[in-house]
Amino acid sequence: AVHASAIVYCASASGKGGTAFEVDDIGVANAAAAAKALDARFVLVSALGVDRPDSKGFKMTNSLGGNYDKIMDAKRQGEEKTRSVLAKSKNYMIIRPGPLLGVKGKGGAADIELNQGDIIGGGISRDELAGVVVGALLSKRKGATVEVYRTKTRQKIQPEFDAVSGNEVTADTYVGLFGNVKSD
């Protein structure tokens, strides 16, 4: 028998099939339940701003319509279900990237910043995000939610927020990024 040591969930609603609630809520809950049953680590790639329903980004993204309708609500529910299903083991990491950039990263982990509290965000490339996911898998840190972005793109999510949250985490390696992350 094959035993999975980890499940990475980075699917999302699509115009080709799968509504926000089918994929970002129910699908996430099912994957978290599978991780629990397998005693596997669960890494969920969600979205920046999920905890900020009053932000412009949340409202715009949530009103895309079609299969994407209410996608931020569905992502928030998927995150909540992940925390609930895996509450005892805390064997999860929720990663909230900002907009995916078309330009590949050049500096690796040294160009990336993690944050917590859904206050600060920014863009990140797919290759950088992949590095962060691998760092989360290899890190010993569990039961946390982080925002991730390229440091040069850092910006506050809402105008009333401070430009520095006090929760910024940087490191020279992707695993190192998780060293000072606070648990949920």
Side-chain angles (χ1 to χ4, degrees):
V2 176
H3 177 74
S5 60
I7 296 174
V8 176
Y9 196 94
C10 54
S12 192
S14 165
K16 295 180 181 178
T19 68
F21 285 96
E22 290 169 342
V23 179
D24 296 283
D25 178 4
I26 297 166
V28 168
N30 289 341
K36 179 180 179 179
L38 294 168
D39 193 27
R41 185 155 179 86
F42 185 60
V43 176
L44 170 63
V45 178
S46 185
L48 180 68
V50 166
D51 284 337
R52 300 297 171 190
D54 294 329
S55 71
K56 187 190 315 183
F58 185 104
K59 289 176 182 177
M60 285 176 36
T61 306
N62 217 33
S63 63
L64 291 172
N67 281 358
Y68 303 105
D69 193 43
K70 306 283 186 207
I71 191 168
M72 296 297 277
D73 291 332
K75 285 184 179 292
R76 183 173 44 208
Q77 288 176 207
E79 285 189 11
E80 289 169 359
K81 288 175 182 175
T82 294
R83 290 184 196 97
S84 176
V85 167
L86 298 170
K88 188 174 179 183
S89 71
K90 298 268 191 214
N91 200 8
Y92 70 87
M93 184 65 66
I94 298 172
I95 299 172
R96 295 173 169 169
L100 297 176
L101 306 173
V103 179
K104 283 190 172 189
K106 295 179 182 172
D111 286 347
I112 302 301
E113 189 169 275
L114 298 186
N115 215 308
Q116 293 184 278
D118 222 3
I119 295 170
I120 308 293
I124 187 168
S125 68
R126 285 171 174 78
D127 63 301
E128 291 165 329
L129 179 56
V132 171
V133 168
V134 171
L137 286 169
L138 298 176
S139 167
K140 295 191 186 331
R141 185 72 59 203
K142 299 191 315 185
T145 302
V146 298
E147 293 78 47
V148 58
Y149 47 88
R150 193 178 292 163
T151 307
K152 292 178 186 173
T153 68
R154 179 195 310 147
Q155 59 187 336
K156 50 192 176 177
I157 292 177
Q158 290 180 208
E160 65 271 19
F161 293 156
D162 292 330
V164 176
S165 70
N167 294 319
E168 291 77 9
V169 178
T170 59
D172 292 332
T173 67
Y174 288 111
V175 173
L177 286 169
F178 292 90
N180 292 317
V181 167
K182 300 170 192 155
S183 295
D184 289 338

